[in-house]
Amino acid sequence: MLRKIVTKIIHDAIEDARNSGLVPPDIKPNFIIEIPREEGFGDYSTNIAFTLAPVLKKKPVDIAGMLAGLMKKSTSCNSIEVAGSGFINFSLKDELWQQLLADVHRKGTESLYPDVGGGKKVLIEFVSANPTGPLHIGHGRGAAVGDVLANILQKTGHFVQKEYYINDAGRQIKTLGRSTFLRFKELTGDAVEYEKDLYQGDYVRELAGRAIEEKLPVPADPEEAVSFLAQFASRAIMDGIEKDLGDFGVFFDNFFLESTLYASGIVDETLRILKQQGIAYENDGALWFKTSLFEKDEDRVLIKSDGENTYFTSDIAYHLDKFKRSFDMLVDIWGSDHHGYIPRLRASVQALGRNKEDLKFLLIQFVTLIKEGKPVGMSTRSGEFTTLREVLDEVGRDACRFFFLMRKSDAHLEFDLDLARKTSNENPVYYIQYAHARIESIFRNAADAGVDLEAIAGADCSLLVLKEELELIKWITRYHGVLEGSSRNLEPHRIAFYLIELVGRFHSYYNKTRVLGTDIELTRCRLLLLGALRGVIRDGLGLIGVSIPERM
RNA sequence: GCGCCCGUAGCUCAGCUGGAUAGAGCAACGGACUUCUAAUCCGUAGGCCGUAAGUUCGAAUCUUACCGGGCGCGCCA
């Protein structure tokens, strides 16, 4: 948050150096300011001397010394030091941090939200599982990542919509209809041969059973019965999916049906555009898309020689539709097994005249469930066989969501069910929630002791002089940068890691320092500190979608 | 065969788009509850960042080649 002060100091120093002829007038500074890993290196640090070294043909240390010399006149720093082989380290005055804390407390956690998007409209499409079976654990991970990413983007200056796409026009739904139909016949006493490529799950038999129980008017004609049962089954499964998602805390703004693409004529329009531009061409009786024009990938078929569209065609149309709904940026969240599909879709948005940066992909790697130290199921892809519902019922929503957010989305996730269920110090969810409960408890005790909680807003923050207190302040305000990085890079997991780090500082402080004491002024400002901290913890947990207990 | 992702402490993982002596948590060991919640804290130990070159002031991070694991490469959906 105070980075801009450092930025100005550096720019001023360069300006001074130019004026006094120490550097050429046309020099253009190129540098970064970072928070050093080591606390001893100050609050911020810059590498400017290294980037200037080749230009000025001098040693970095000397350049750093020269610039630091010009900076000494600054009033916002305790120290500006040259360290290592040429870093310039800045230590800002404590009062700046104390003042910033007071600001954050007064204006609320929102004042720490960075504006990354500038009002940009973003559509995040995720889960998008076909209603042919219940959501498995991999879908759950995608749901958590998508939902939290949406929250993050929303808070950082984007207008966000969440969408679930359903392939209701394809063969999978027909297969579901046939599966249900055969189970239906089975249950009504007919001998049937259940083919291998039909859906094997028990839920199909249950659905068929329900159709019988509820005395649904299943048509006598087999073909009609299949499509009737396809309708019934997919609707019922979709209801179940929405229920699972709801219980998981994930809600969509829109469910988009593939069939509407055909009804609205946008598929035809897509093909027309592609043909007009010569990006679609005929060969062997099929219509092809010239992927190779945009990406390192082979050309792909749009219309098969039997006249049927491929899924690729409706996917292009779908993305055209998204852009037509005036979204500036699209985010597609897919299972990583679909990564091979990315080049052609990326090519297609370029064919439609958009920048390739307008479509971003997030890949969700497989989840391996671990129980008693061993992977659940026969395969490492056990996630395929365990439903979200089962895990949700077993470990609860909080642990489930948090665990999904504890890894980069494109990295394999080992989900330790025993750990997630533990209400102990090994479980990071409780570690964070416990910090909040402790703070709440302190506030309750303060109120009981007659401390005027309204008055803490005016507390004198200059009393917060302990090393731990200043570090806590810095970590609280760092929320700004974490949100920014998380938003810019589309990496929700950063929030989870930040929260663990943040409350770690708090727990440590708590064990060492008493907040409520006889010195009322000191008590007030420490409560102010905890108030701001509580705000960030709540905000962060809210972002992840984990509950915020007042007591534990 | 080609392409994408991953390889960091015994285990699970971070590492802020190239920075300083590579960090957490768990497991191991040793400590701290008559004091705001011990679901916590403090300390010790643990490393050739898969391997080998390259790029430069500087590489876990970028390039290339190998090794090992995962996943994709259809006029399938």
Side-chain angles (χ1 to χ4, degrees):
Chain A
M1 279 299 269
L2 298 178
R3 187 177 297 240
K4 35 184 184 292
I5 294 176
V6 175
T7 310
K8 187 169 183 329
I9 292 173
I10 297 171
H11 277 121
D12 287 352
I14 291 287
E15 192 56 36
D16 284 356
R18 278 202 200 97
N19 291 338
S20 48
L22 291 167
V23 301
D26 60 336
I27 202 89
K28 55 172 199 241
N30 167 34
F31 60 92
I32 59 162
I33 297 171
E34 61 179 1
I35 300 173
R37 203 194 315 273
E38 293 277 328
E39 214 190 311
F41 292 147
D43 297 327
Y44 293 100
S45 146
T46 184
N47 66 343
I48 189 165
F50 293 103
T51 63
L52 248 34
V55 187
L56 300 178
K57 299 194 173 65
K58 283 183 182 166
K59 289 206 296 204
V61 199
D62 298 338
I63 298 168
M66 181 266 289
L67 289 173
L70 293 169
M71 291 168 183
K72 286 288 189 225
K73 52 185 85 151
S74 162
T75 54
S76 22
C77 297
N78 274 338
S79 70
I80 299 177
E81 284 171 352
V82 177
S85 47
F87 291 97
I88 305 176
N89 295 334
F90 301 83
S91 261
L92 298 179
K93 288 196 170 157
D94 293 351
E95 56 187 82
L96 287 174
W97 291 109
Q98 292 155 348
Q99 208 168 352
L100 181 59
L101 174 71
D103 278 359
V104 171
H105 185 268
R106 194 177 65 251
K107 297 186 205 152
T109 311
E110 302 82 55
S111 64
L112 290 171
Y113 296 169
D115 182 8
V116 175
K120 203 187 248 194
K121 283 187 72 179
V122 182
L123 182 75
I124 306 187
E125 182 218 320
F126 58 110
V127 187
S128 296
N130 281 343
T132 55
L135 294 181
H136 57 68
I137 194 69
H139 293 128
R141 187 180 184 187
V145 169
D147 191 49
V148 175
L149 181 64
N151 293 339
I152 291 166
L153 291 176
Q154 189 88 48
K155 284 203 176 172
T156 54
H158 303 79
F159 171 84
V160 184
Q161 286 242 311
K162 295 177 279 184
E163 191 159 285
Y164 186 124
Y165 179 70
I166 304 170
N167 288 123
D168 63 332
R171 192 145 75 192
Q172 288 191 34
I173 299 292
K174 279 180 204 151
T175 305
L176 176 69
R178 289 233 333 238
S179 308
T180 315
F181 176 64
L182 287 181
R183 291 300 189 207
F184 178 84
K185 285 188 66 171
E186 224 172 55
L187 288 170
T188 50
D190 289 334
V192 296
E193 198 176 319
Y194 201 78
E195 297 144 45
K196 270 213 186 98
D197 55 344
L198 296 179
Y199 293 108
Q200 302 295 324
D202 289 337
Y203 61 90
V204 179
R205 199 176 276 113
E206 285 163 27
L207 285 167
R210 255 176 62 190
I212 295 166
E213 261 171 52
E214 294 170 21
K215 296 191 167 60
L216 296 183
V218 181
D221 175 70
E223 284 221 0
E224 284 176 37
V226 165
S227 74
F228 177 89
L229 286 171
Q231 276 293 315
F232 163 73
S234 63
R235 173 65 53 88
I237 292 171
M238 201 58 220
D239 286 347
I241 287 175
E242 283 193 61
K243 174 85 167 58
D244 290 351
L245 288 171
D247 290 346
F248 194 41
V250 177
F251 299 92
F252 284 88
D253 298 300
N254 193 28
F255 288 85
F256 193 102
L257 295 175
E258 183 194 6
S259 54
T260 61
L261 292 169
Y262 289 93
S264 73
I266 199 160
V267 174
D268 293 334
E269 184 184 340
T270 302
L271 290 169
R272 199 163 56 239
I273 293 172
L274 296 179
K275 280 182 199 160
Q276 251 169 27
Q277 310 199 330
I279 295 164
Y281 65 95
E282 293 205 30
N283 190 27
D284 288 342
L287 190 70
W288 294 73
F289 176 85
K290 240 182 183 163
T291 322
S292 48
L293 222 50
F294 307 95
E295 297 279 328
K296 227 178 104 186
D297 191 31
E298 285 161 36
D299 290 0
R300 306 289 172 174
V301 168
L302 293 163
I303 304 178
K304 297 184 270 180
S305 50
D306 66 2
E308 290 240 4
N309 288 334
T310 60
Y311 261 57
F312 183 35
T313 305
S314 48
D315 280 342
I316 300 173
Y318 177 40
H319 285 79
L320 175 61
D321 187 273
K322 289 178 180 178
F323 283 126
K324 281 198 159 192
R325 284 183 274 154
S326 78
F327 287 102
D328 304 299
M329 183 168 96
L330 310 180
V331 179
D332 283 13
I333 301 182
W334 293 351
S336 64
D337 52 335
H338 291 97
H339 69 260
Y341 203 72
I342 290 177
R344 75 189 77 165
L345 203 56
R346 186 174 274 151
S348 78
V349 305
Q350 293 169 76
L352 296 171
R354 303 291 305 213
N355 194 312
K356 67 153 72 163
E357 295 305 312
D358 293 346
L359 173 61
K360 310 251 194 203
F361 295 94
L362 242 62
L363 294 177
I364 306 292
Q365 268 284 10
F366 288 114
V367 178
T368 308
L369 291 168
I370 306 285
K371 204 168 195 170
E372 286 157 14
K374 283 178 292 192
V376 177
M378 302 296 288
S379 153
T380 50
R381 291 174 56 177
S382 53
E384 292 280 351
F385 310 116
T386 310
T387 63
L388 172 61
R389 170 60 59 188
E390 287 171 275
V391 177
L392 207 45
D393 288 346
E394 190 161 339
V395 307
R397 187 209 277 192
D398 288 346
C400 196
R401 288 186 69 118
F402 196 88
F403 274 59
F404 283 142
L405 268 289
M406 281 204 315
R407 300 279 176 273
K408 271 186 302 197
S409 67
D410 59 356
H412 261 283
L413 169 63
E414 293 214 356
F415 193 125
D416 189 330
L417 290 167
D418 304 312
L419 177 61
R421 217 171 12 182
K422 265 189 205 163
T423 57
S424 79
N425 54 351
E426 298 155 55
N427 191 330
V429 190
Y430 292 97
Y431 187 70
I432 299 168
Q433 290 178 323
Y434 186 53
H436 183 265
R438 271 184 154 175
I439 294 170
E440 286 290 70
S441 170
I442 292 174
F443 273 94
R444 280 194 299 271
N445 291 334
D448 288 349
V451 177
D452 181 2
L453 296 183
E454 299 296 320
I456 65 172
D460 179 10
C461 290
S462 68
L463 298 176
L464 296 171
V465 293
L466 295 179
K467 213 179 89 199
E468 291 83 6
E469 288 168 337
L470 286 161
E471 215 196 326
L472 251 183
I473 295 173
K474 289 166 192 175
W475 270 89
I476 289 168
T477 60
R478 203 178 279 191
Y479 190 46
H480 179 268
V482 171
L483 275 175
E484 182 176 352
S486 187
S487 174
R488 223 178 269 291
N489 298 294
L490 309 178
E491 290 180 348
H493 73 280
R494 294 193 192 197
I495 305 291
F497 281 95
Y498 164 73
L499 286 175
I500 293 172
E501 291 276 340
L502 175 70
V503 306
R505 262 78 187 178
F506 163 73
H507 283 307
S508 187
Y509 174 62
Y510 178 94
N511 268 276
K512 205 171 163 187
T513 317
R514 237 193 115 75
V515 174
L516 304 177
T518 46
D519 184 339
I520 184 65
E521 213 26 66
L522 188 59
T523 297
R524 278 205 195 108
C525 70
R526 284 183 173 162
L527 284 173
L528 187 150
L529 173 64
L530 294 199
L533 172 63
R534 179 175 62 182
V536 172
I537 296 174
R538 283 182 183 166
D539 203 79
L541 285 180
L543 224 38
I544 296 178
V546 168
S547 68
I548 305 160
E550 292 180 8
R551 289 187 164 82
M552 287 174 75

